[in-house]
Amino acid sequence: MSEIEARSATSRLHDQLEAIVEVLRRHEDESLLPAESQAELRRQLDELHPADIAFILESLPLDDRLAVWQLVKADRDGEILLEVSDAVRESLIADMDRHEILAAAETLDADELADLVEDLPTAMLPELMASLDTQQREQVQSALSYEDDQVGALMDFEMVTIREDVSLEVVLRYLRRWDELPAQTDKLFVINHDNLLTGVLPLHWLLVNPPEKMVSAVMAPDVNTFHPTDDAYDVAQAFERYDLVTAPVVDERGHLIGRITIDAMVDVIREEGESEALSRGGLREEEDIFASVWASLKNRWAWLAINLVTAFIASRVIGLFEGSIERLVALAALMPIVAGIGGNSGNQTITMIVRALALNQITAESAKRLWRKELTVSLLNGLIWGGVIGLVAWLLYDNLSLGLVMTAAMTLNLLLAAFAGVGIPVLMTKFGRDPALGSSVLITAMTDSGGFFIFLGLATIFLV
């Protein structure tokens, strides 16, 4: 096996990024890359998959990104724009003129073009729509009529349909007329005279059955179908559950109008995971890591402001017990432990609950059971680990009462963390909000303020 073959795809992509950055660094003081360096970069880019080019563009500062973008072949622009993040796509489109945008759009299918339209300059849309044929225009308008998180906005219009009243031999002859089958084709969609979906014919069934058999005798009539208004994430979970590659999309009367494919569903799952991770940290949207200071500031300020308020509240809680801390200095050393462990426990709980809510695994009744279960787990953890840190505090400060207060405070704060860890996402869901939005900030605020209050309050009552 050669050295190139032995390296993983991830390692090769990292090496390619480093090679491109090295070329750019050699000429960073020059306003224009020399022709030789441009040719070298073009050669490297031509060998890369559009998704790899998208990764490289996202990994470069804005000036370098635009320099590399100008070297990409025009007929690949559309594919790459679909692969990059929304934030980076905006910067690339801003660098393109009208003719470049139209040329990029020409290479895309209707469903792909619908993904791109929202990021294009509004003034260009009439000209772009006019450049499409009637069928493409109708398909784009159909996709745009649905919300971004609905199946209709993601469905593919390119698919293979066959009639149920023909033989498999006829189907094989029909398929041989195609230059290439649509990507992700694992089954053929069977329809009747009225374009009603009646079943599917997996390709491997077509190959292993006698050619004289009729489609109606071989097809699978029990089909996983979806509607264009279905939630895309719910459908992605169904794809995972049933190991689907493609599935038909039908209207309310059962007419076949498109298909949904596994690559679109993988993107949905990835985007949902990224969105959840950003929301937990209080970020409003995906951020270009090389965005301007002002753009990053706008994306981050809201929850930082909330965090500042909660931190101020926590500081005032500590201020209420200044006298106790002055009389027993050990309290100042131990109270961060109570708050920190509570925050960690609360984040564990909230992560599990947010995931369960995303998978629709929690009902009103099960939420009550989850609360009881999490409170029990926290009670046991508090007694065990609170006992450990209480013993340590006793040995360090030779004060049994301090150790007992430490154990009690730890247990009570873990109970608070469990109560909030379940309650925050459940209540946010009940009020129609994203359960992950700022959850990490909220749970930390509660366990910090609550932990300080519980520990210092108990110490004031029993120690001071």
Side-chain angles (χ1 to χ4, degrees):
M1 182 179 291
S2 69
E3 180 183 352
I4 294 179
E5 292 172 337
R7 291 203 308 271
S8 69
T10 303
S11 298
R12 291 200 300 272
L13 181 57
H14 180 74
D15 291 345
Q16 288 157 343
L17 172 61
E18 292 290 339
I20 289 174
V21 169
E22 175 60 28
V23 174
L24 294 170
R25 291 288 75 80
R26 287 204 305 263
H27 306 286
E28 60 182 344
D29 296 329
E30 303 175 28
S31 58
L32 185 67
L33 285 173
E36 182 180 346
S37 296
Q38 290 188 28
E40 180 183 350
L41 288 178
R42 280 198 183 96
R43 178 184 57 77
Q44 293 182 38
L45 293 171
D46 289 346
E47 296 173 355
L48 296 177
H49 187 278
D52 293 339
I53 298 177
F55 171 80
I56 287 172
L57 292 170
E58 291 173 348
S59 305
L60 293 173
L62 182 59
D63 291 342
D64 291 343
R65 178 187 301 159
L66 297 181
V68 171
W69 178 237
Q70 292 297 326
L71 300 177
V72 174
K73 286 184 176 179
D75 60 357
R76 307 185 74 193
D77 285 355
E79 294 177 291
I80 296 167
L81 287 173
L82 291 174
E83 295 288 348
V84 295
S85 65
D86 291 344
V88 173
R89 182 188 300 164
E90 183 179 338
S91 68
L92 298 180
I93 290 177
D95 190 57
M96 301 170 71
D97 60 33
R98 183 175 60 86
H99 297 292
E100 289 175 326
I101 293 176
L102 289 174
E106 287 177 359
T107 64
L108 302 178
D109 295 329
D111 59 305
E112 296 173 329
L113 188 55
D115 290 340
L116 194 60
V117 161
E118 292 183 350
D119 297 308
L120 299 179
T122 306
M124 281 202 58
L125 297 184
E127 184 178 1
L128 175 61
M129 296 299 284
S131 68
L132 305 176
D133 60 39
T134 303
Q135 184 183 32
Q136 285 180 311
R137 192 179 306 116
E138 290 176 352
Q139 291 173 345
V140 171
Q141 290 171 341
S142 174
L144 291 174
S145 67
Y146 299 102
E147 300 291 336
D148 290 343
D149 59 353
Q150 292 182 323
V151 166
L154 303 172
M155 64 182 175
D156 185 0
F157 298 98
E158 190 177 10
M159 54 190 167
V160 182
T161 59
I162 57 175
R163 295 278 289 276
E164 60 183 347
D165 56 355
V166 299
S167 68
L168 299 185
E169 183 178 3
V170 172
V171 175
L172 287 168
R173 288 204 305 268
Y174 170 63
L175 294 180
R176 292 189 187 104
R177 296 178 188 173
W178 289 67
D179 294 329
E180 183 180 2
L181 291 179
Q184 313 292 341
T185 297
D186 69 320
K187 61 176 71 75
L188 311 179
F189 301 119
V190 184
I191 57 175
N192 62 15
H193 292 279
D194 299 321
N195 196 41
L196 289 170
L197 182 73
T198 59
V200 296
L201 178 62
L203 287 182
H204 62 279
W205 290 9
L206 171 65
L207 297 176
V208 300
N209 277 283
E212 64 271 11
K213 276 194 173 184
M214 301 297 290
V215 169
S216 57
V218 179
M219 70 181 190
D222 184 17
V223 184
N224 289 300
T225 60
F226 301 101
H227 297 282
T229 55
D230 287 344
D231 182 86
Y233 188 63
D234 291 341
V235 174
Q237 290 175 325
F239 263 64
E240 182 181 10
R241 189 161 53 247
Y242 302 122
D243 294 326
L244 300 176
V245 176
T246 62
V249 180
V250 299
D251 62 18
E252 63 278 1
R253 291 175 294 176
H255 293 118
L256 181 66
I257 58 175
R259 66 171 185 154
I260 200 73
T261 59
I262 184 63
D263 54 343
M265 294 297 94
V266 169
D267 289 341
V268 168
I269 293 173
R270 175 183 57 80
E271 290 168 5
E272 183 70 18
E274 291 176 352
S275 175
E276 183 180 310
L278 292 170
S279 294
R280 282 201 302 269
L283 293 176
R284 294 184 298 171
E285 59 187 25
E286 185 179 11
E287 182 180 305
D288 177 2
I289 59 173
F290 295 107
S292 67
V293 171
W294 176 241
S296 296
L297 182 64
K298 288 192 296 182
N299 191 32
R300 304 182 194 184
W301 74 269
W303 281 96
L304 287 178
I306 293 173
N307 205 3
L308 178 62
V309 172
T310 59
F312 178 76
I313 293 172
S315 73
R316 297 321 304 149
V317 169
I318 296 173
L320 294 174
F321 301 97
E322 284 181 355
S324 300
I325 296 173
E326 288 175 356
R327 286 194 287 273
L328 190 58
V329 180
L331 299 179
L334 294 174
M335 65 184 185
I337 299 175
V338 176
I341 297 299
N344 184 279
S345 177
N347 274 308
Q348 289 176 342
T349 301
I350 215 166
T351 297
M352 185 191 69
I353 299 300
V354 167
R355 178 184 178 276
L357 286 169
L359 295 174
N360 295 318
Q361 294 176 333
I362 296 180
T363 63
E365 181 59 32
S366 64
K368 296 176 183 177
R369 297 185 63 181
L370 274 173
W371 244 319
R372 289 196 295 268
K373 176 228 171 181
E374 288 302 314
L375 288 171
T376 303
V377 170
S378 293
L379 175 62
L380 294 175
N381 272 328
L383 292 174
I384 294 170
W385 297 110
V388 170
I389 193 64
L391 178 62
V392 171
W394 177 20
L395 295 175
L396 279 176
Y397 298 101
D398 194 23
N399 189 329
L400 176 60
S401 298
L402 178 61
L404 293 174
V405 164
M406 191 72 182
T407 300
M410 180 78 76
T411 303
L412 291 173
N413 199 31
L414 288 184
L415 289 172
L416 173 64
F419 184 83
V422 177
I424 289 172
V426 168
L427 287 176
M428 292 182 76
T429 301
K430 183 177 180 180
F431 290 108
R433 303 299 299 274
D434 180 359
L437 184 60
S439 57
S440 151
V441 177
L442 292 175
I443 194 69
T444 301
M446 292 195 69
T447 53
D448 279 358
S449 298
F452 293 147
F453 183 81
I454 291 168
F455 179 58
L456 296 176
L458 290 174
T460 300
I461 296 171
F462 295 106
L463 299 179
V464 178

